[in-house]
Amino acid sequence: MSPQTTPIADTAQDLELSERILAPDGSRMPNARLDAFVADVDAAQLRALHRDMVVLRRIDAEGVALQRQGQLGLWAPCQGQEAAQIGTARALDPQDYVFPSYRETGVIYARGAQPGDYVRMWRGEEGAAYDPAALRVAPLQIIIGAQTLHAVGYALGIRHENAPEVAVTYFGDGATSQGDVNEAMIFAASYQAPVVFVCQNNHWAISEPVTVQSQYPIAGRAPGFGIPSLRVDGNDVLACLAAMRWALEHARSGKGPAYIEAVTYRMGPHTTADDPTRYRDDAEWESWRDRDPIARLEAHLRASGDLTDEHVAETQAAADAVAKEMRAACLGMVTRPPLAVFDGVYAEPHTGLERQRDEYAAYLASFESEA
Amino acid sequence: MTQLTLGKALGAGLRQAMRDDEKVVLLGEDIGKLGGVFRITDGLLDEFGAARVIDTPLAESGIVGTAVGLAFRGYRPVVEIQFDGFVYPAFDQIVSQVAKLHYRTQGRVKMPVTIRIPWAGGIGAAEHHSESPEAYFAHTAGLRVIAVSNPEDAYRSLRQAIASDDPVVFFEPKRLYHHKGEVDLDAPLADAPPMGLARVVRPGTDATVLTYGAMVGTALQAAEAAEDEGIALEVVDLRSLSPVDYDSVAASVRKTGRVVVAHEASREAGLAAEVIASVTERCFEYLESAPLRVTGHDVPYPPAKLEKYHLPDLDRILDAVDRVLDRPHSLTGADA
Ligand SMILES: Cc1ncc(C[n+]2csc(CCOP(=O)(O)OP(=O)(O)O)c2C)c(N)n1
């Protein structure tokens, strides 16, 4: 065998190398590997996916607006990544458990997040935005890559119990450089853990282009760890759904971990504190705008007559309603009193902290007695 | 003299260090085109090129480990950790490698690595963006630890840190990045006081407040308020957390006889404990009362809406001042 030259992970090549079911113009392409996984998806289901994506985009826009209005400290937009998040998350079973990064607004939406859940953490009210047990989603993770190891550990538990569940972890292209992510893959493969890795390659880790993290398509690494992988067009919600169904089936049936790289694009800034004009050129952004995941599914549904203007109007109204609830939940949040800083540090009594809390309580009370 | 923000002063310090010594190279996430998330490295890529301003993959252990290799090769790497809370993936490289190599090789290998860390709270940031990890590093032999509190210091001590043959963990209070002050850009480095020296920022006679970083400003506010009540507080900026300049500290304590140490980091096994123990060892007979700590609580850094209850403010400092002065104070019964 002669040595092969490795493909470079550049923006243009990325797409041609990925699996696809819907072309950017919405037309359906045959896909030998994936078609079987979405053979059951009918027009109603497609409309539901469309609606999910529209609602998610609206939630995301509301998050940005709330931040701009000073209601949130920060927001991490996911515009452009709707198909990758909705397509993969909608493939999950309710009992599966997700370990996300901070950008997975669409994933927590698909898991049933409540209006306040989107903003509680970003507003700085609480460290975790929601009840993990209720959503079966771990708290949004800020330390890049840490959650991938947690998912593998969770999956080991599933394996010990022979449960039919799968652990799923989401992370970005930048995260693949972290030791934790590589260690997670080794552990997952060593123990054949039922875990699915979902890398949303949105091309940028803040200002670092994906080429700084990877000279080879990211999905190509997983086989080196002994993990089968698929590289899908992350702006094609059907391909994302199909790939995730493949991965989940693989993991659920005892074959061990699976890996998906969803090739997509972050249309907005990294967070509301970021300024992408410093590092990203307009042409690149525009070329991705033409691959908008929502427009793509909409074109597909329109062509087959499965989406009417009324549908679209209804969906938009539903999205507006969700955004309104989210805003109301955000503005209605009441900051906890000062002594809440001590809440929940330990599960059992801790005399040192109790003393400190009492001291601080006495200190605060001294202001009242003065008044 | 030039008016600069602390952030710009740091950028100027980096630029000057890179001009002075071509072995100085920068490594970090987003430090190139973006200029760093705080824009401290703004413009340096244009001036010095990608070989000296290295935009790295997103891997802190990788960044610091690579800096170790560069130092082996005779470079003076300056590493930017994006935020305090992200230094932990690199912790092993810093404490096991950077700190120890000089010792292990009996001085044959030098580790002139500067590790810059945007640091501490008060900006309403998200989780992991407001931590005070200084005690971990001060506890590690082989590292020097610096915390700056104003633009002039930032400019000078960053250059000193880079010029030092020892590794320096360099804490930059992000709460002060936009604070302005006078900076003498042309003062020769050789004439500057060594970076390890503490500084009396405000002289006083009744009690000494020892602090560092953004808390220096809070302590100065407290001192002004105390003055209204006829109390003259001496405020000392430690500037170096390892080593602490105990000669200067002791001189102040001998003068005032009363000590309050204030920092944002939580209390347990924190720097204040170390400083008070050392002060007690050195100046026991001068002390008129037991030294006190004013610190963050022993809780993980709280969510943004609660941080105002966590960070020491001027009232908490004044309360401690009252207690070391045996004046009526609010913490009833807390002296047990
Ligand atoms: C350990 C660590 N280092 C640095 C950061 C700061 N940071 C937050 S997000 C980010 C970029 C992440 O890029 P990627 O993994 O591609 O995910 P994306 O944000 O694009 O979804 C960085 C550097 C962090 N949160 N954690």
Side-chain angles (χ1 to χ4, degrees), chain A residues 114-346:
Chain A
Q114 297 302 302
D117 294 351
Y118 302 109
V119 286
R120 201 168 289 113
M121 180 181 96
W122 300 117
R123 194 171 161 86
E125 299 287 2
E126 278 176 37
Y130 41 75
D131 175 5
L135 288 190
R136 298 190 70 72
V137 181
L140 300 177
Q141 177 63 255
I142 285 183
I143 301 296
I144 300 297
Q147 74 278 16
T148 58
L149 278 164
H150 308 166
V152 173
Y154 191 93
L156 288 181
I158 295 175
R159 224 194 100 121
H160 282 309
E161 295 152 26
N162 265 323
E165 297 159 34
V166 174
V168 176
T169 180
Y170 287 83
F171 52 96
D173 42 296
T176 64
S177 293
Q178 288 285 352
D180 277 2
V181 177
N182 290 274
E183 291 175 31
M185 290 205 276
I186 290 170
F187 277 56
S190 295
Y191 303 112
Q192 291 295 290
V195 58
V196 174
F197 294 91
V198 182
C199 173
Q200 286 179 82
N201 175 358
N202 68 8
H203 282 85
W204 291 93
I206 309 187
S207 75
E208 311 285 5
V210 64
T211 42
V212 169
Q213 318 288 342
S214 179
Q215 294 294 306
Y216 190 79
I218 290 170
R221 295 185 195 176
F225 289 94
I227 302 175
S229 68
L230 260 179
R231 181 186 181 80
V232 292
D233 184 331
N235 287 15
D236 173 352
V237 72
L238 261 190
C240 292
L241 179 71
M244 195 64 182
R245 285 179 170 180
W246 160 77
L248 288 165
E249 189 179 299
H250 179 90
R252 222 184 289 286
S253 61
K255 295 191 196 119
Y259 191 107
I260 292 172
E261 177 192 357
V263 182
T264 179
Y265 195 77
R266 151 168 67 78
M267 295 303 288
H270 164 71
T271 63
T272 43
D274 179 42
D275 172 11
T277 61
R278 294 180 71 110
Y279 54 81
R280 203 163 74 171
D281 70 38
D282 290 348
E284 180 189 281
W285 183 85
E286 275 158 23
S287 75
W288 281 93
R289 195 184 46 191
D290 297 339
R291 300 171 189 146
D292 186 300
I294 299 181
R296 188 182 303 193
L297 183 57
E298 210 162 298
H300 176 72
L301 283 166
R302 291 244 188 217
S304 53
D306 291 319
L307 195 73
T308 60
D309 288 343
E310 290 86 85
H311 275 132
V312 173
E314 264 172 43
T315 304
Q316 201 53 56
D320 289 341
V322 173
K324 206 171 152 193
E325 286 176 38
M326 173 178 159
R327 169 170 290 265
C330 178
L331 300 185
M333 280 178 193
V334 178
T335 300
R336 292 171 294 156
L339 290 179
V341 286
F342 295 98
D343 289 352
V345 182
Y346 295 95

Side-chain angles (χ1 to χ4, degrees), chain A residues 341, chain B residues 264 295-297 299 301-302 306-312 316:
Chain A
V341 286
Chain B
E264 293 188 27
T295 67
H297 307 301
V299 306
Y301 200 88
L306 299 181
E307 74 179 346
K308 59 178 175 291
Y309 309 128
H310 178 73
L311 294 176
R316 275 169 70 194

Side-chain angles (χ1 to χ4, degrees), chain B residues 239-253:
Chain B
R239 291 153 109 208
S240 172
L241 311 184
S242 179
V244 170
D245 171 13
Y246 284 115
D247 290 341
S248 303
V249 168
S252 175
V253 174

Side-chain angles (χ1 to χ4, degrees), chain B residues 141-158:
Chain B
L143 301 176
R144 292 176 187 278
V145 182
I146 296 293
V148 294
S149 65
N150 61 72
E152 170 71 31
D153 248 15
Y155 175 70
R156 190 190 53 252
S157 47
L158 180 55

